[in-house]
Amino acid sequence: MHYDFISRLNHWIIAIAIIGMLLFGLYLEYGGLEREARRPLIGVHRSVGVLVLIYGAWRVAWRVMRGFPEPVSTMPRWQHRLSKWVHWSLLSGILIMPLSGIGFTIFRGRDVSVFGWFSIPGVAEVPWIVAMSSAIHQYVGLGLCTIVVLHIAAALKHHLIDRDPTLTRMISGRAVPASDGSVSSDNQ
């Protein structure tokens, strides 16, 4: 099994964007910044969030259309199920995080300006949507941080402990033979 160039490119671009936005969001929330120092940074966070949503929608659609590749090595059933859950959670988070951030802003009656290129107009304030969007953005964000760490840890486990080609396949596109010589040659 190997990943095509577009699948790998999508994975790494959105991985960098999501990890960067999660770290940026944590800094904005817990970095001890004064309100006035936060304001322009929040604008950047929102702008990048809209771009992440646009690219993320493409990335999620591509993955759903292409399907999920089979593992390159055998693993216990619980690991396989956990892997599927993590992948679906990551894909969901790619969409939920920017949508909840945008919802929080526009339902407070504020526009979301994307670097001055275009704006998503605010609507009349709807307090329950603002509260729900804010809670979703906060708690899904913290959950997504945990899931990203789990995903990275699993990739490193496959590479360093299991010594299977899972990580190699996502870096180079090709799965090099595992220590037992097994590898699938399907194309995704």
Side-chain angles (χ1 to χ4, degrees), residues 72-73 158-159 163-170 174-179 182-183:
V72 293
S73 65
H158 278 285
H159 191 71
R163 299 205 182 274
D164 70 28
T166 300
L167 183 59
T168 305
R169 175 174 69 172
M170 187 47 75
R174 298 250 174 237
V176 295
S179 57
S182 66
V183 81

Side-chain angles (χ1 to χ4, degrees), residues 107 125-136:
F107 286 101
E125 189 167 344
V126 184
W128 72 268
I129 294 178
V130 171
M132 181 182 66
S133 295
S134 176
I136 288 170

Side-chain angles (χ1 to χ4, degrees), residues 6 10 52-63 65 95:
I6 298 297
N10 284 343
V52 167
L53 176 62
I54 293 166
Y55 192 82
W58 153 255
R59 193 269 190 260
V60 170
W62 181 265
R63 176 49 47 219
M65 288 185 317
L95 301 176

Side-chain angles (χ1 to χ4, degrees), residues 88-138:
W88 279 109
S89 296
L90 289 169
L91 291 174
S92 298
I94 289 168
L95 301 176
I96 291 170
M97 287 303 294
L99 285 172
S100 61
I102 292 166
F104 172 76
T105 303
I106 65 170
F107 286 101
R108 288 174 59 202
R110 297 183 181 164
D111 296 349
V112 176
S113 174
V114 181
F115 297 114
W117 302 334
F118 65 93
S119 291
I120 301 170
V123 297
E125 189 167 344
V126 184
W128 72 268
I129 294 178
V130 171
M132 181 182 66
S133 295
S134 176
I136 288 170
H137 200 69
Q138 179 181 2

